């Protein structure tokens, strides 16, 4: 018998899972699952000896065992309770409960001929597009959490925007984590695949929330593939309970002249990590990866981004901002990698951190690896307190104390939330930021307003 | 109302104000002129309480109180207003919220009742009309993306809303077109009562055609080297700072 390690419970859980109802899956899916568990077994849960996990200690996650959630009903989970997570009334809403699709809580109404499959459905089994893209993009050979997610692949969502089609109404995938008090600690493995065909465009929002305060583990994978000239706005809202563990692998692949505008809001979770990698495969592709993390107490929040410029004339812009309080820790590691042939790359990477307490800390590492010689690449990071010039301006108008600090913090956050093009998503993110700050600094904190740059998308 | 005595101030260990003496009485308008880098903005910022400037000697008495002992927000609540030479941008925060909060903080400190949203909006619209600002600025983030002139106008709007007792205008006229200049002047003149006073920092005599000063001061190298009536401004415009070069030389040597 092999010796027990932190990954043993997951390997045992996988064996039970294959032995139970998962046998209904098609062969290709089973095949992916065995590849996933094999890779996870080799990689193991990452320790801090791994370069890309140097600042992120997942011991609190590793010392508990989280078993995959079975598909079951939670009568207390009603549409009314999920109402407040709605981004936009008429959104195409796909609700996943602990990783399982819930048709009764979802509301979908596509007028265009969009290919949408629940991965657990019979139709998905034989679909060539699903097979071609599902679990083919996120790298499970080096990423243990992507491998672990694949080991439990059975449910999830596949969306394909057909050529030339623009979906105006946003697609909202709401991932709900819920457990009753008598259940063992649960893991869920959400998977979302979005492919945009040539000249298509859509807005996709992925929310992560939890309904119970107990420790839970969400290990999600999102794969986004953009064909030539397509455009995707992707907004991630992570607002799980502070007891939650959250690992999310986001993998993007972009072809010529496509445009991907991503935003990641990280507010909840005891430990949360978003690992975002984008491969620029076609010339003149443009990617924006922006985000805001807010952490307090003993939360640990981590963003890890990797932009790979593989061809000439692509642009990538990254702005991540953090607001840290209490004894919270944040990690930002951003790598931009420019291949030798990727001439005329234009890349900018910025990380700014606002420290609201002396005991909060941040490890920030923007990195550039450039093998081409004709490029424009910049990067920078700052860690600091309040902007004193701004504080003085406010004080000179009679505004001091917590209100002044709140206004400065709002200003800091607004500079990055304004990069969300989709109006309703931006409002949701703004509202979450404001409500979080009001808890800290009082109800004087104002709503966020933006200058009218975005009017064309409202 | 305001008495500045032998004021010395430095920034990062470098002395900028080297003994300023200036008395402003209620009802007066004082103009401060002087070459670039002579310390005009520093004086304005020190009066408003900017923490970067260290007062190394002297005192400032405002309405009988030691002004320098007050926090900047307390100075604002006591009726001091500084229109910034370089107003800062506050993304995400609307002009109306910003001004309403400021006004209500000032009212609270005076024991007055706070204005509610409706009352404030009515007041704001009135004041915006006076300074001829488009209502779209009500909900725009403070100064973000405004043109240079719009920022200056927004400073005057703030002044009009907050109704200070002592207004300090730091080059509010630079970057303004002629119409805006008149509006700014009007804003200052409207405020002019026997109880109030203003200090107007400017490079141009032009503004002083509209805001007629009681006293004009020339600030050179951290000192006031000459004071006079409004004709001093005309003379400066005509002859430059050269004609007071003896005074300047004296200031330079010391
Ligand atoms: N924060 C600072 N750090 C370093 N030097 C400063 C600082 N603030 C002011 N100074 C210096 O103090 C001197 C006076 O500056 P101040 O802004 O008061 O001049 P001013 O008279 O207002 O000039 P202008 O007419 O150009 O507005 C200048 O030499 C300036 O460089
Ligand atoms: Mg100046």
């Amino acid at each position: 018998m092999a010796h027990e390690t932190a990954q043993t419970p997951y390997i045992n859980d996988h064996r039970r899972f294959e032995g139970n109802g998962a046998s209904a899956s098609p062969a290709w899916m089973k095949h992916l699952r065995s590849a996933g568990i094999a890779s996870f077994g080799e990689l193991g849960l990452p320790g801090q000896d791994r370069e890309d996990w140097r600042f992120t200690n997942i011991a609190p996650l590793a010392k508990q065992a989280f078993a995959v959630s079975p598909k079951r009903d939670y009568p207390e989970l009603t549409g009314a309770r999920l109402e407040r997570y709605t981004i936009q009334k008429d959104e195409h809403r796909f609700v996943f409960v602990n990783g399982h699709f819930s048709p009764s809580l979802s509301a979908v109404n596509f007028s265009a001929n969009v290919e949408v499959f629940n991965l657990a459905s019979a139709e998905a089994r034989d679909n060539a597009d699903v097979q071609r893209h599902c679990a083919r993009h996120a790298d499970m050979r080096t990423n243990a959490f992507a491998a672990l997610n694949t080991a439990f692949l059975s449910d999830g969502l596949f969306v394909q925007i057909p050529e030339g089609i623009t979906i105006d109404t946003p697609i909202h995938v709401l991932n709900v984590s819920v457990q009753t008090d008598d259940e063992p600690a649960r893991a869920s493995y959400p998977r979302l695949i979005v492919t945009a065909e040539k000249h298509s465009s859509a807005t996709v929002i992925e929310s992560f929330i939890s309904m119970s305060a107990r420790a839970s583990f969400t290990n999600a994978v999102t794969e986004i593939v953009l064909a030539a000239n397509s455009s995707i706005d992707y907004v991630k809202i992570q607002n799980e309970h502070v007891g939650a563990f959250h690992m999310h692998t986001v993998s993007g692949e972009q072809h010529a002249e496509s445009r991907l505008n991503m935003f990641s809001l990280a507010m909840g979770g005891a430990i949360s990590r978003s690992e975002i990698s984008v491969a620029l495969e076609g010339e003149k592709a443009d990617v924006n990866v922006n985000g805001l993390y807010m952490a307090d107490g003993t939360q640990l929040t981590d963003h890890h981004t990797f932009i790979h410029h593989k061809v000439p004339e692509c642009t990538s812009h990254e702005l991540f901002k953090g607001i840290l309080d209490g004894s919270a820790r944040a990690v930002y590691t951003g790598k931009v990698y420019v291949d030798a042939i990727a001439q005329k790359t234009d890349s900018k990477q910025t990380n700014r951190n606002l420290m609201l307490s002396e005991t909060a800390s941040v490890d920030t590492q923007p990195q550039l690896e450039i093998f081409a010689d004709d490029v424009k690449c910049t990067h920078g990071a700052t860690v600091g307190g309040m902007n004193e010039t701004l504080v003085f301006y406010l004080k000179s108008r009679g505004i001091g104390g917590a209100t002044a600090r709140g206004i400065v913090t709002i200003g800091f956050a607004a500079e990055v939330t304004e990069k969300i093009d989709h109006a309703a998503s931006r409002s949701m993110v703004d509202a979450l930021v404001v409500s979080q700050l009001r808890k800290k600094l009082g109800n004087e904190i104002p709503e966020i307003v933006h200058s009218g740059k975005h009017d064309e998308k409202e | 109302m305001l008495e500045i005595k032998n004021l010395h101030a430095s920034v990062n260990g470098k002395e900028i104000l080297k003994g300023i003496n200036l008395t402003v009485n209620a009802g007066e308008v004082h103009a401060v002129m002087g070459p670039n880098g002579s310390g005009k903005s520093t004086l304005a910022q020190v009066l408003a309480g900017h923490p970067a400037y260290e007062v190394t000697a002297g005192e400032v008495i405002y309405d009988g109180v030691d002004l320098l002992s007050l926090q900047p927000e307390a100075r604002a609540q006591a009726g001091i207003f500084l229109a910034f030479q370089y107003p800062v941008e506050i993304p995400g925060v609307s002009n109306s919220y910003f001004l309403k909060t400021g006004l209500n903080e000032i009212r609270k400190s005076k024991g007055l009742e706070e204005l509610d949203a409706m009352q404030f909006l009515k007041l704001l619209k009135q004041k915006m009309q006076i300074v001829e600002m488009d209502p779209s600025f009500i909900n725009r983030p403070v100064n973000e993306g405004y043109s240079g002139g719009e920022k200056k106008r927004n400073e005057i709007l703030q002044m009009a809303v907050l109704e200070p007792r002592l207004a300090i205008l730091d080059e509010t006229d630079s970057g303004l077109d002629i119409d805006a200049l008149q509006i700014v002047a009007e804003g200052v003149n409207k405020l002019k009562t026997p109880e109030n006073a203003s200090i107007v920092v400017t490079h141009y005599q032009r503004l002083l055609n509209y805001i007629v000063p009681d006293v004009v001061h020339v600030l050179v190298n951290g000192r006031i080297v000459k004071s006079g009536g409004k004709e001093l401004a005309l003379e400066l415009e005509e002859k430059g700072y050269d004609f007071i070069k003896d005074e300047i030389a004296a200031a330079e040597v010391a």
Side-chain angles (χ1 to χ4, degrees):
Chain A
M1 182 98 187
H3 68 290
E4 288 270 324
T5 60
Q7 54 265 29
T8 309
Y10 293 99
I11 291 170
N12 293 339
D13 193 31
H14 174 261
R15 193 171 303 126
R16 273 192 302 274
F17 178 77
E18 290 293 355
N20 293 340
S23 53
S25 301
W28 62 266
M29 207 179 256
K30 283 186 181 164
H31 192 78
L32 282 168
R33 282 204 296 265
S34 18
I37 199 67
S39 178
F40 176 73
E42 271 168 40
L43 294 166
L45 286 172
Q48 285 181 276
D49 52 329
R50 289 271 312 268
E51 174 59 27
D52 49 350
W53 288 86
R54 198 144 62 94
F55 303 114
T56 307
N57 179 3
I58 57 161
L61 163 66
K63 74 171 189 242
Q64 300 179 58
F66 293 94
V68 61
S69 304
K71 189 179 172 85
R72 56 159 282 195
D73 280 335
Y74 293 88
E76 70 276 19
L77 192 63
T78 58
R81 272 191 81 185
L82 296 179
E83 191 67 39
R84 52 193 281 238
Y85 303 104
T86 304
I87 303 287
Q88 186 175 314
K89 261 204 163 62
D90 61 346
E91 67 189 15
H92 303 296
R93 188 184 319 123
F94 297 88
V95 177
F96 284 80
V97 178
N98 297 337
H100 302 285
F101 183 54
S102 167
S104 62
L105 294 172
S106 301
V108 183
N109 181 24
F110 286 108
S111 51
N113 194 20
V114 178
E115 266 195 52
V116 189
F117 294 108
N118 168 212
L119 294 182
S121 69
E123 303 82 58
R125 310 172 52 123
D126 305 321
N127 185 283
D129 291 325
V130 175
Q131 284 183 47
R132 190 153 56 92
H133 291 294
C134 179
R136 309 291 176 188
H137 302 282
D139 178 12
M140 65 172 173
R141 283 161 311 147
T142 59
N143 180 332
F145 287 106
L148 182 61
N149 175 293
T150 309
F152 290 92
L153 175 68
S154 65
D155 207 329
L157 183 69
F158 175 89
V159 181
Q160 180 159 298
I161 319 296
E163 185 167 341
I165 297 291
T166 292
I167 308 289
D168 288 319
T169 314
I171 296 164
H172 183 194
V173 182
L174 179 57
N175 291 293
V176 187
S177 156
V178 53
Q179 334 174 44
T180 56
D181 289 341
D182 52 352
E183 281 186 286
R186 290 300 190 201
S188 51
Y189 299 99
R191 169 145 336 226
L192 170 65
I193 303 122
V194 178
T195 75
E197 296 296 275
K198 288 177 186 164
H199 296 278
S200 69
S201 75
T203 297
V204 179
I205 303 134
E206 205 171 6
S207 305
F208 295 89
I209 57 161
S210 46
M211 306 304 283
S212 34
R214 294 186 50 204
S216 61
F217 176 30
T218 300
N219 178 20
V221 174
T222 300
E223 300 175 293
I224 305 172
V225 184
L226 289 93
N229 302 93
S230 65
S231 167
I232 294 282
D233 282 282
Y234 172 78
V235 180
K236 171 192 175 177
I237 297 174
Q238 191 276 110
N239 192 20
E240 290 172 302
H241 193 273
V242 288
F245 297 100
H246 179 93
M247 296 290 153
H248 188 193
T249 305
V250 181
S251 171
E253 178 182 309
Q254 291 188 243
H255 295 276
E257 295 184 45
S258 62
R259 176 194 156 276
L260 175 58
N261 190 28
M262 293 209 204
F263 188 91
S264 169
L265 174 72
M267 296 213 310
I271 299 176
S272 79
R273 168 149 157 150
S274 296
E275 200 161 321
I276 301 168
S277 60
V278 177
L280 300 167
E281 308 266 3
E283 291 186 10
K284 296 195 176 130
D286 172 40
V287 62
N288 286 284
V289 186
N290 303 308
L292 175 68
Y293 44 88
M294 293 175 80
D296 199 347
T298 56
Q299 285 182 291
L300 166 57
T301 173
D302 179 352
H303 276 94
H304 201 84
T305 68
F306 178 69
I307 313 286
H308 192 168
H309 284 260
K310 292 182 161 183
V311 292
E313 290 187 61
C314 291
T315 50
S316 64
H317 287 91
E318 219 175 300
L319 173 63
F320 274 85
K321 287 195 155 195
I323 299 169
L324 301 162
D325 205 350
S327 302
R329 276 176 41 71
V331 180
Y332 168 82
T333 318
K335 187 184 274 186
V336 172
Y337 194 98
V338 182
D339 283 354
I341 65 153
Q343 302 294 4
K344 306 256 189 259
T345 287
D346 181 345
S347 170
K348 183 172 183 191
Q349 199 188 169
T350 312
N351 176 230
R352 299 202 186 289
N353 297 280
L354 174 60
M355 314 305 280
L356 298 180
S357 85
E358 305 221 314
T359 44
S361 63
V362 55
D363 288 292
T364 172
Q365 272 199 315
Q367 301 167 14
L368 283 169
E369 274 187 59
I370 305 175
F371 297 94
D373 49 24
D374 180 16
V375 300
K376 196 176 113 202
C377 294
T378 60
H379 65 164
T382 57
V383 179
M386 296 272 161
N387 175 340
E388 286 306 327
T389 319
L390 249 179
V391 172
F392 175 60
Y393 191 61
L394 293 163
K395 286 184 171 179
S396 77
R397 301 302 182 243
I399 307 168
T403 310
R405 289 201 299 281
I407 292 179
V408 176
T409 310
I410 285 288
F412 181 83
E415 265 176 341
V416 64
T417 65
E418 75 172 19
K419 295 187 179 294
I420 304 171
D421 278 340
H422 180 249
S425 302
R426 191 170 63 245
S427 302
M428 175 61 98
V429 169
D430 283 342
L432 288 169
V433 170
V434 168
S435 82
Q436 193 84 340
L437 287 176
R438 282 184 180 162
K439 276 186 233 157
K440 264 193 244 294
L441 298 167
N443 284 330
E444 294 288 302
I445 307 302
E447 305 282 335
I448 296 178
V449 297
H450 293 283
S451 43
K453 292 175 204 163
H454 295 278
D455 289 346
E456 74 282 1
K457 268 230 160 191
E458 326 243 332
Chain B
M1 177 184 206
L2 183 77
E3 211 176 331
I4 305 174
K5 293 182 205 157
N6 188 33
L7 183 65
H8 289 252
S10 37
V11 60
N12 300 328
K14 181 186 162 206
E15 184 163 66
I16 311 230
L17 300 184
K18 301 172 180 171
I20 300 272
N21 292 290
L22 178 64
T23 302
V24 178
N25 297 309
E28 292 179 347
V29 174
H30 288 237
V32 176
M33 305 181 81
N36 291 131
S38 57
K40 303 180 298 295
S41 292
T42 303
L43 175 62
Q45 301 269 339
V46 167
L47 292 178
H50 196 297
Y53 299 92
E54 192 197 348
V55 174
T56 52
E59 59 176 349
V60 180
I61 307 296
Y62 171 74
D63 279 345
V65 217
D66 171 15
L67 184 72
L68 301 176
S69 70
L70 300 180
Q71 289 296 312
E73 59 270 40
R75 299 184 197 192
Q77 289 158 8
I80 290 189
F81 177 89
L82 168 63
F84 284 64
Q85 184 174 4
Y86 304 109
V88 291
E89 303 190 354
I90 316 176
V93 177
S94 74
N95 242 335
S96 68
Y97 167 83
F98 171 62
L99 268 174
K100 176 165 159 270
T101 309
L103 179 62
N104 278 336
E105 290 294 328
I106 290 169
R107 290 179 67 94
K108 261 195 288 189
S109 76
K110 291 182 178 151
L112 296 172
E113 213 169 301
E114 294 184 42
L115 296 190
D116 65 26
M118 292 294 284
Q119 292 166 318
F120 176 74
L121 196 63
K122 202 173 146 212
L123 174 80
L124 182 60
K125 284 184 171 160
Q126 256 170 26
K127 302 290 184 181
M128 286 181 98
Q129 232 161 23
I130 296 175
V131 301
E132 292 181 23
M133 259 173 99
D134 191 89
S136 66
F137 283 91
I138 293 175
N139 283 318
R140 277 179 66 176
V142 183
N143 293 331
E144 195 192 32
Y146 296 14
S147 74
E150 287 168 346
K151 282 183 184 169
K152 295 294 174 87
R153 220 180 265 220
N154 204 29
E155 293 290 292
I156 296 307
L157 172 67
Q158 294 174 32
M159 184 180 82
V161 170
L162 300 180
E163 297 186 323
R165 281 205 61 211
L166 175 64
I168 306 162
L169 277 66
D170 191 359
E171 292 197 28
T172 305
D173 54 334
S174 43
L176 290 186
D177 58 43
I178 204 79
D179 290 351
L181 196 70
Q182 285 180 12
I183 289 162
V184 167
E186 206 146 302
V188 174
N189 290 333
K190 279 225 168 77
L191 215 71
K192 197 171 169 179
T193 69
E195 291 80 47
N196 295 343
S198 27
I199 299 175
V200 180
V201 176
T202 182
H203 284 292
Y204 308 104
Q205 140 69 22
R206 201 174 62 151
L207 178 69
L208 304 178
N209 287 335
Y210 302 101
I211 307 173
V212 181
D214 298 292
V215 194
V216 175
H217 306 277
V218 184
L219 186 65
V220 178
N221 194 21
R223 285 200 183 84
I224 292 178
V225 297
K226 198 176 180 75
S227 301
K230 58 176 190 285
E231 59 296 335
L232 179 55
L234 279 169
E235 211 170 344
L236 282 172
E237 178 123 307
E238 217 172 289
K239 307 180 186 163
Y241 291 105
D242 265 2
F243 89 103
I244 47 167
K245 60 178 180 288
D246 291 348
E247 285 92 337
I248 295 177
E252 229 92 275
V253 168

